[in-house]
Amino acid sequence: MTKVIKLALATSVLAGSLMANDVLNGSGASFPYSVYNAWTKAYYKTTGNKVNYISKGSSKGIKDAKARAVDFAGTDKPLSPKVLKKNGLYQFPGVVGAITMGYNLPGVDNLKLSRAAIVAISEGKVAYWDDAVITSTNKGLKLPHKPVTFVHRADGSGTTFNYTYFLSKVSKEWRHTYGAKKSLNWPGHQHIGGNKNTGVASLIKQTPFSVGYIDYADAKHNDIVMASVENKAGKFIKPSLKAFQAAAAKADLNPKKDFYSVIADPKGADSYPIVAATFVLVPKEKPATDKKVTAFYDWAYKNGQDIAKGLGFVPLPDSLTDKIRKYWEAKGIK
């Protein structure tokens, strides 16, 4: 091999290595995709550092993290400290958001759904929109005698986990029969499934007299009407940033437990009940790469608050981001 060829190959390998090191690749939860996508664009514009995040759903994000297929992964279902240790992963929260009950009911834009109605719809026990479990909390609203179509996620989903966790908090029957899961065989006969939150949004828009659970950002982006939902205090709360913030303030995210916590159905008269934190997973054995990931999220915590709010997410409070930075320091990834 000539010196010229050797030099060309060496230069090529070095260039490829630098390019690979300059780009961070992540995948997973679709729930925070809109805010992560906006953050990565703003981060690149400000720092020149490129971060890719592919929306696949939480199940595939966890799978990618365990397989070391990406530099970081997103999941709406937090992993327990035991599972993290077994798989050599660290975990911290990225942002807080909300799951809404979006619906397609021509002529109706102020629907209220009680806790009992949401469980009954999810169980497939509500055949028509004028069922008493819905009409009892919508006095004066003329609801049609039309079949109810329930729209859910078809793929493994952290949104589904947090939604079914909420159902488990509300209903003992649901908790004992189905529990909180990323995917399940939905009961009843009047339900359809879509992939990722974007798929659920499309199905709701295409299906008159449907209702389904969907993250606030995708519902808002697709102009889907969202119901007011009864919270633990018995109040009907419209989806709004203020109501999400009231709920997020009740969250218990402890670094000693790798922030392992599900925050749905918090206390508080003004709290929106179906809220969720979304999490980031990074591998323990790659501290140099992890430091680049945490640098991105540190930038987002400091500079991405307006972006998050504009998309309907709740930026993490300073008290929590301080805990996260200390967690990074303790793990040697800051």
Side-chain angles (χ1 to χ4, degrees):
M1 187 179 292
T2 67
K3 288 184 178 179
V4 174
I5 294 174
K6 286 181 178 177
L7 179 61
L9 285 173
T11 303
S12 174
V13 170
L14 178 60
S17 176
L18 287 174
M19 287 177 67
N21 288 337
D22 285 343
V23 178
L24 290 174
N25 292 304
S27 69
S30 65
F31 177 74
Y33 173 73
S34 59
V35 66
Y36 284 3
N37 188 44
W39 280 350
T40 58
K41 289 179 179 177
Y43 187 59
Y44 178 72
K45 188 175 181 180
T46 303
T47 67
N49 296 321
K50 192 169 185 179
V51 181
N52 294 323
Y53 182 80
I54 300 174
S55 168
K56 293 183 177 180
S58 294
S59 288
K60 290 183 178 176
I62 294 170
K63 186 177 180 180
D64 282 351
K66 291 179 177 178
R68 304 306 196 252
V70 290
D71 298 314
F72 70 99
T75 175
D76 305 329
K77 181 185 184 300
L79 301 185
S80 69
K82 183 178 179 180
V83 173
L84 291 167
K85 185 177 181 180
K86 179 182 177 183
N87 291 279
L89 295 168
Y90 296 134
Q91 174 177 264
F92 56 89
V95 71
V96 171
I99 299 165
T100 67
M101 298 302 294
Y103 64 93
N104 181 343
L105 198 52
V108 177
D109 58 7
N110 55 346
L111 184 70
K112 295 179 181 177
L113 288 177
S114 67
R115 298 157 78 83
I118 292 171
V119 173
I121 290 170
S122 303
E123 289 179 329
K125 293 182 177 178
V126 178
Y128 296 95
W129 277 100
D130 56 356
D131 189 294
V133 74
I134 301 178
T135 59
S136 61
T137 55
N138 289 282
K139 303 293 185 184
L141 199 63
K142 186 171 178 55
L143 295 170
H145 187 67
K146 294 285 187 180
V148 175
T149 300
F150 176 60
V151 184
H152 56 79
R153 289 284 291 272
D155 53 330
S157 159
T159 306
T160 298
F161 171 78
N162 282 285
Y163 180 68
T164 53
Y165 182 90
F166 167 76
L167 297 176
S168 297
K169 296 278 281 188
V170 171
S171 165
K172 288 183 180 178
E173 181 181 344
W174 180 278
R175 182 164 67 249
H176 293 148
T177 306
Y178 306 106
K181 298 176 180 175
K182 295 196 295 295
S183 62
L184 74 157
N185 293 319
W186 290 90
H189 303 287
Q190 296 178 179
H191 59 84
I192 52 177
N195 287 321
K196 300 189 288 186
N197 278 294
T198 51
V200 171
S202 295
L203 286 175
I204 293 175
K205 292 187 74 171
Q206 295 167 15
T207 312
F209 309 106
S210 65
V211 58
Y213 61 92
I214 180 174
D215 73 285
Y216 177 76
D218 274 294
K220 185 180 177 184
H221 179 72
N222 286 281
D223 294 323
I224 291 173
V225 183
M226 295 170 266
S228 297
V229 176
E230 184 185 14
N231 68 10
K232 185 177 281 187
K235 288 194 171 185
F236 286 87
I237 307 295
K238 289 183 178 180
S240 71
L241 183 60
K242 186 177 180 181
F244 304 157
Q245 288 174 318
K250 308 293 183 183
D252 178 22
L253 294 160
N254 187 344
K256 292 182 179 177
K257 300 178 182 176
D258 296 292
F259 303 99
Y260 176 69
S261 179
V262 184
I263 66 173
D265 205 31
K267 296 178 180 177
D270 300 322
S271 297
Y272 184 80
I274 321 177
V275 288
T278 189
F279 299 84
V280 181
L281 303 171
V282 294
K284 286 184 177 180
E285 74 279 7
K286 297 181 179 178
T289 302
D290 294 345
K291 287 179 181 179
K292 296 178 182 179
V293 175
T294 59
F296 165 63
Y297 278 95
D298 193 37
W299 180 92
Y301 294 155
K302 294 174 181 172
N303 303 285
Q305 293 202 359
D306 288 342
I307 292 174
K309 289 178 182 176
L311 292 169
F313 288 86
V314 181
L316 302 182
D318 291 343
S319 58
L320 178 56
T321 55
D322 287 344
K323 291 180 182 177
I324 294 170
R325 292 185 183 99
K326 289 178 181 176
Y327 175 84
W328 292 341
E329 288 174 359
K331 305 299 184 187
I333 58 172
K334 183 177 184 299

